[in-house]
Amino acid sequence: MKTNKLITISIYTIFLICAALNTSFGQQAEKNGADFELASKFSRENLRKMVYDLSVDPEWLEGSDKFWYKYKTSSGTDYYLIDPEEGTKSPLFENEKLASGMTSFLNKPFNPGDLPIRDIKFFDNNTMISFRTDSMLFNYNIEDQVLEYMGTVPKKKSVPRWVNFSPDSSAVVFSKGHDLYIMYTDDPDSTEHRLTSDGEMHYSFARNTSDTSKAERRRASITWFRDSSKFYAVRRDQRKVNDLYLINSLSKPRPTLETYKYTMPGEKNAPQFEMYIFEKDKRTRLKIDVEKWRDQELGGTYAGPGYFFGKSHDKLYFVRRDRMWQKLDLCKINAETGELKIIVSEDTGPYFNFMNMRFAELNDGKEFIWWAERDNWGHLYLYNENGDLKNRITQGPFLAFSIASIDTAGRELYFNGYGREKDVYPYHSKLYKVGLDGSDIRLLTPEDGNHNVEFSPSGKFFVDNFSKIDSEPRSVLKDNSGRIIMELETSDISRLEEAGWRMPERFNVKAGDSITDLYGVMWKPFNFDPEKKYPIIANVYPGPQTEPFPTRFSPTNRNVTLAQLGFIVIAPGNRGGSPYRSKWYHNYGYGNLRDYGLEDIKRTVEQLAAKYSYIDIERVGIYGHSGGGFMSTAAMLVFPDFFKAAVSSSGNHDNNIYSKWWGEMHHGVEEIVKEMKDEKTGDIIKKYEYISRIPANHELADKLEGHLLITTSDMDNNVHPANTLRMVDALMKANKRFDFMIFPGKRHSYGSYNTYFERMMMHHFSKYLLHDKKNNIDIYKFIKKN
């Protein structure tokens, strides 16, 4: 009896302790709840109203290095005329005087700080400009400051989307019934001349290869030569490629089925490519023999077309690659004869970095510049017209990237690069000048920041826009030696500062190998208290084409708003994330597409928590979209005791059903050739199989311990919703509790539902990391309020 009494007392005591703890915890949660008011004040919608122009966009005058630009600050929009030779900057006009003149002509007032003018054009030896406001045309004499009203102008007729004019506007090419047609603009009868007769759905010359109309004119998938004498077309045969489907539940009166061609990793039937060159006047078609590898592809990727023109009208350059993405040919075509010549071949594992591929022709085709990764870094090489290597232009442990300008007479190249100087942020682009023989490389943009340059027509000057994540943008004019001629603008961030906005912070940690440097950005609440403990949320994207942190001034970043709820928010990099570092770094994730970046994200959070006492490592969240969607879910499953909450939107959770090029390029594909004897002829027949097996998130569904919000849209034709639904199905079968949302009628980025999604994410993290129990019905009120 005594024992039973003791047990009863013990249980009662434990109950009282738990109740007290819950009450205390509840009071603390209420005290430290999410600050929706501060988040509302600094919503992206509100932040955009506080931001003015962040860069100078020069409009070069024809036949001159002079340019004009407009620039908006808190005082309004001003217009300037720049003469680099004279080193002068002057107003294009006086806003007050111009507004007064427009008012006198049109009998309506105008705001001098926000003049509604457009279509500015210079004429009369650049001493006059014309511009429009609505349908009213004005001329303005820059020297005499005299405004003249020219009357109304007819409204411009919109050009139909199917029209593809030649550069000289002498002809129009279009598609109809998947074939090509041409019309000549000097033909009063607008006669349609048929150029092909073998087009059909999914073997089409139309941009939309799935088009079902037969008589309607459609945009053709063609590209004109610069001299308008020819155009080329690349046709993909997708007739054997498998179909993929989406159901538009919002179409009226009945839901409709959307069908499109989509190749997945390891599938047998891949698109087959053909190339043609058409003569405009002769209306002839020349098929180019481009075949070399099985299931090869022509051109580049989404980052660049992979087709290049020379200065003369008789040459066309293009790249082709094998299915494994390791072998590549740079080819030159004689546009008159169709003869194809390989001028460069690359064989690089695990794959060629098509994102950084660059080509430029010099001296009327006698030389060319080519980009390649041959020694762990991407560099530029000089070749003669036959494809013989003359010399390396750049070398060393840094990335030579895009070509900014070429001085052929002076034999100098201007290019953008990353990571050449020690102790300089490796994600900041810098401009360099180097001799085409590789001599005398010079840094022209030493200012701290990420530089974006635009050269004048002569190449003697350039406008340099540069900024950092933690510094407002500057715009300067320089000559081609890097000397600053004048300061153009510094962005006006006064309204941001007045509102209490603060700069984010950059950080540097070590990767999971304790050797490799990783970089990222941190956002704090603007009412930050270093004595408090804050949950931390990682905004992730695995790469390999980019990392999630901004490298330029980005005051309206989504993480600004998220942090105001009471979080430390970081956007960390990871090995395998960026193509702007070494080839080793970029290719780190090859063969491990699901998990390669997870260790680095976890180690980043651990190091930051060890360094900063205000970070609560017991409350760690993670979120991301697309690749970041599958990465954030994978993190919850691989490290279930570490990550407590995640929001995963439109993730490619099963890369086996995502795009062929993504999975096979970044994870790998094995080609298996089987030889079989034909029973009838006795011939040896080769059969090809492709194997690409990528670990998927749903295979780890039973590991989920934390709080997961997973979302998709039902019309996503990039990352098919099946990626998310397979994950949902696996979680249900594993009896896991999670939250799930579908955005109806939206594509990959959610469109008009983006704000709704952001509020969902904010409530999810507030509930599970700040223990804020506000009902999610407040999402609607929050949106309407702001």
Side-chain angles (χ1 to χ4, degrees):
M1 291 295 295
K2 290 182 180 180
T3 303
N4 290 340
K5 186 176 181 180
L6 288 173
I7 292 174
T8 303
I9 292 172
S10 297
I11 293 174
Y12 181 67
T13 302
I14 292 171
F15 173 80
L16 290 175
I17 292 171
C18 290
L21 287 173
N22 283 336
T23 301
S24 174
F25 185 79
Q27 291 172 348
Q28 186 68 18
E30 184 67 27
K31 180 180 178 181
N32 296 329
D35 194 339
F36 279 92
E37 185 175 346
L38 192 61
S40 171
K41 179 179 178 181
F42 292 102
S43 67
R44 288 208 288 175
E45 296 88 342
N46 288 339
L47 284 168
R48 291 187 186 106
K49 299 172 185 176
M50 307 178 200
V51 177
Y52 302 101
D53 282 343
L54 302 178
S55 63
V56 167
D57 183 15
E59 298 284 349
W60 306 100
L61 305 193
E62 187 175 356
S64 170
D65 281 338
K66 294 180 181 180
F67 65 93
W68 70 272
Y69 69 92
K70 64 178 182 178
Y71 203 81
K72 186 176 182 180
T73 68
S74 57
S75 300
T77 300
D78 292 307
Y79 297 74
Y80 298 101
L81 181 63
I82 308 298
D83 186 338
E85 292 283 0
E86 298 296 326
T88 59
K89 172 184 175 181
S90 56
L92 187 56
F93 44 74
E94 293 182 17
N95 288 29
E96 289 280 0
K97 188 173 181 179
L98 193 68
S100 177
M102 293 167 61
T103 297
S104 65
F105 282 118
L106 301 181
N107 196 28
K108 60 184 289 188
F110 292 92
N111 180 359
D114 188 22
L115 293 170
I117 63 178
R118 64 183 190 275
D119 296 340
I120 295 178
K121 297 178 182 177
F122 281 71
F123 64 98
D124 198 8
N125 199 27
N126 296 329
T127 63
M128 300 278 294
I129 62 170
S130 65
F131 64 86
R132 295 173 61 183
T133 176
D134 294 327
S135 61
M136 314 300 178
L137 180 66
F138 289 91
N139 284 349
Y140 180 77
N141 188 305
I142 300 172
E143 296 178 355
D144 298 335
Q145 299 183 12
V146 175
L147 181 68
E148 183 180 4
Y149 175 52
M150 306 304 293
T152 59
V153 292
K155 187 177 180 180
K156 289 184 179 180
K157 292 184 179 180
S158 59
V159 178
R161 297 183 66 179
W162 57 266
V163 171
N164 192 332
F165 278 111
S166 59
D168 64 2
S169 299
S170 63
V172 173
V173 171
F174 59 93
S175 174
K176 188 166 66 174
H178 298 285
D179 278 309
L180 285 179
Y181 291 77
I182 191 169
M183 293 192 304
Y184 301 100
T185 53
D186 62 357
D187 178 5
D189 298 324
S190 298
T191 305
E192 297 180 352
H193 300 277
R194 189 168 187 166
L195 300 177
T196 67
S197 57
D198 58 347
E200 60 178 276
M201 189 182 296
H202 306 306
Y203 184 50
S204 173
F205 289 101
R207 181 166 292 181
N208 178 9
T209 64
S210 302
D211 183 52
T212 57
S213 67
K214 295 183 178 179
E216 298 293 326
R217 294 169 178 168
R218 301 300 189 199
R219 185 81 175 182
S221 183
I222 66 103
T223 303
W224 285 96
F225 280 64
R226 292 190 184 120
D227 70 344
S228 300
S229 65
K230 305 176 185 67
F231 62 88
Y232 74 86
V234 177
R235 178 164 63 162
R236 293 187 301 167
D237 187 352
Q238 300 183 91
R239 289 173 292 183
K240 294 183 179 180
V241 173
N242 292 331
D243 291 332
L244 199 55
Y245 309 95
L246 294 167
I247 296 177
N248 186 350
S249 299
L250 301 186
S251 62
K252 296 179 180 180
R254 297 171 60 87
T256 54
L257 179 69
E258 180 177 303
T259 305
Y260 58 103
K261 297 292 184 178
Y262 197 91
T263 315
M264 297 175 182
E267 288 190 334
K268 176 182 177 181
N269 296 321
Q272 305 299 308
F273 288 72
E274 301 173 351
M275 179 184 284
Y276 303 89
I277 294 178
F278 294 82
E279 288 270 3
K280 180 191 70 174
D281 295 328
K282 297 179 182 178
R283 300 198 289 275
T284 56
R285 173 168 69 165
L286 181 64
K287 185 176 182 180
I288 311 301
D289 183 7
V290 297
E291 294 184 9
K292 181 175 183 180
W293 297 296
R294 182 180 180 83
D295 290 347
Q296 69 178 16
E297 294 191 17
L298 306 184
T301 64
Y302 63 91
Y307 303 93
F308 316 98
F309 285 114
K311 286 190 176 181
S312 63
H313 63 271
D314 61 345
K315 288 193 294 291
L316 174 65
Y317 302 86
F318 76 98
V319 295
R320 65 183 171 195
R321 60 182 181 275
D322 70 346
R323 180 160 180 171
M324 273 58 71
W325 294 80
Q326 295 181 3
K327 297 179 180 179
L328 171 146
D329 287 339
L330 173 64
C331 304
K332 178 170 65 174
I333 297 173
N334 184 317
E336 303 293 338
T337 66
E339 178 188 3
L340 182 149
K341 180 179 181 180
I342 299 172
I343 52 176
V344 176
S345 289
E346 301 284 350
D347 190 347
T348 179
Y351 59 87
F352 186 88
N353 184 358
F354 284 85
M355 280 196 64
N356 294 352
M357 178 179 63
R358 295 295 185 272
F359 169 88
E361 186 191 76
L362 307 177
N363 297 327
D364 296 323
K366 294 185 175 66
E367 296 174 304
F368 65 88
I369 297 171
W370 174 248
W371 183 94
E373 289 177 308
R374 296 172 182 169
D375 58 3
N376 198 40
W377 295 93
H379 282 293
L380 298 165
Y381 298 80
L382 182 65
Y383 286 83
N384 68 19
E385 61 184 326
N386 297 316
D388 300 317
L389 178 64
K390 298 184 72 172
N391 59 264
R392 294 184 60 146
I393 301 175
T394 62
Q395 57 185 318
F398 73 98
L399 175 73
F401 185 47
S402 57
I403 297 169
S405 183
I406 303 172
D407 178 2
T408 53
R411 302 292 291 174
E412 290 179 323
L413 168 70
Y414 299 83
F415 72 94
N416 299 298
Y418 292 88
R420 182 173 182 269
E421 284 70 36
K422 291 183 179 180
D423 302 321
V424 171
Y425 196 59
Y427 293 89
H428 281 169
S429 175
K430 303 288 187 178
L431 180 70
Y432 300 88
K433 178 168 70 171
V434 64
L436 287 175
D437 61 359
S439 64
D440 194 25
I441 186 169
R442 291 180 54 199
L443 173 64
L444 303 184
T445 55
E447 299 85 358
D448 189 13
N450 197 354
H451 292 257
N452 182 28
V453 304
E454 182 174 336
F455 273 81
S456 67
S458 72
K460 294 168 61 178
F461 307 96
F462 64 89
V463 173
D464 180 13
N465 293 294
F466 60 96
S467 72
K468 302 181 295 180
I469 187 66
D470 52 0
S471 179
E472 65 268 35
R474 285 175 58 199
S475 302
V476 300
L477 175 65
K478 293 186 175 185
D479 64 21
N480 60 14
S481 71
R483 179 179 65 90
I484 294 179
I485 296 174
M486 71 173 74
E487 295 277 347
L488 295 174
E489 302 291 344
T490 298
S491 293
D492 181 355
I493 63 170
S494 58
R495 286 199 63 199
L496 287 169
E497 293 176 329
E498 290 166 4
W501 178 91
R502 299 291 181 266
M503 298 280 186
E505 302 171 15
R506 291 183 288 179
F507 64 81
N508 174 215
V509 295
K510 290 294 183 181
D513 61 5
S514 299
I515 298 173
T516 306
D517 285 320
L518 299 178
Y519 299 85
V521 174
M522 177 188 294
W523 292 263
K524 297 176 181 177
F526 295 151
N527 58 3
F528 174 74
D529 180 353
E531 300 303 318
K532 287 180 61 176
K533 281 279 191 179
Y534 293 88
I536 184 171
I537 299 173
N539 170 204
V540 297
Y541 190 85
Q545 81 281 27
T546 188
E547 287 176 310
F549 53 89
T551 58
R552 303 181 189 277
F553 187 70
S554 303
T556 62
N557 190 286
R558 172 183 285 169
N559 293 325
V560 175
T561 308
L562 184 59
Q564 305 320 308
L565 292 170
F567 300 114
I568 301 298
V569 182
I570 62 171
N574 56 263
R575 288 169 293 174
S578 174
Y580 302 135
R581 295 178 65 174
S582 69
K583 183 174 177 62
W584 173 84
Y585 185 92
H586 181 222
N587 294 162
Y588 177 78
Y590 187 81
N592 186 24
L593 194 54
R594 183 187 65 195
D595 300 336
Y596 69 88
L598 302 180
E599 180 189 16
D600 287 350
I601 304 303
K602 179 174 180 287
R603 287 288 297 120
T604 294
V605 174
E606 290 171 338
Q607 291 172 74
L608 291 174
K611 184 176 181 180
Y612 302 114
S613 61
Y614 53 78
I615 292 177
D616 185 353
I617 201 169
E618 298 301 320
R619 293 184 288 167
V620 182
I622 187 169
Y623 87 92
H625 183 75
S626 194
F630 93 75
M631 187 183 201
S632 51
T633 293
M636 293 283 285
L637 305 176
V638 175
F639 299 113
D641 296 329
F642 188 78
F643 294 100
K644 301 303 194 299
V647 177
S648 302
S649 52
S650 294
N652 39 316
H653 299 281
D654 185 356
N655 278 295
N656 299 287
I657 61 169
Y658 187 41
S659 170
K660 174 182 79 72
W661 75 267
W662 182 266
E664 294 187 359
M665 179 181 185
H666 297 127
H667 187 82
V669 59
E670 181 183 2
E671 183 182 65
I672 298 176
V673 184
K674 295 181 179 179
E675 292 188 351
M676 303 178 65
K677 188 174 183 179
D678 189 298
E679 296 180 356
K680 294 182 179 180
T681 64
D683 295 335
I684 300 298
I685 301 174
K686 290 184 178 181
K687 288 195 173 183
Y688 294 81
E689 293 182 6
Y690 296 92
I691 298 177
S692 181
R693 178 67 187 88
I694 307 170
N697 279 347
H698 65 256
E699 297 164 5
L700 303 176
D702 63 327
K703 306 296 184 184
L704 181 67
E705 297 294 336
H707 304 282
L708 174 64
L709 167 61
I710 189 168
T711 69
T712 188
S713 50
D714 64 359
M715 292 300 292
D716 190 339
N717 56 0
N718 178 6
V719 180
H720 193 276
N723 282 268
T724 296
L725 292 173
R726 291 186 179 195
M727 188 69 229
V728 167
D729 178 62
L731 290 169
M732 288 180 171
K733 288 177 178 176
N735 294 312
K736 296 296 181 178
R737 173 70 176 88
F738 63 98
D739 292 314
F740 173 46
M741 175 66 77
I742 294 179
F743 294 97
K746 300 303 178 186
R747 298 294 187 182
H748 189 53
S749 61
Y750 299 169
S752 60
Y753 286 154
N754 237 313
T755 301
Y756 190 96
F757 163 73
E758 289 179 358
R759 302 308 188 252
M760 280 191 68
M761 178 172 68
M762 293 165 68
H763 276 278
H764 183 81
F765 284 131
S766 297
K767 180 178 180 179
Y768 294 112
L769 296 181
L770 291 172
H771 309 290
D772 190 310
K773 298 181 180 180
K774 289 186 181 71
N775 194 307
N776 276 7
I777 197 71
D778 290 335
I779 289 177
Y780 180 75
K781 294 179 181 177
F782 188 47
I783 294 172
K784 296 297 285 185
K785 179 182 176 181
N786 300 290

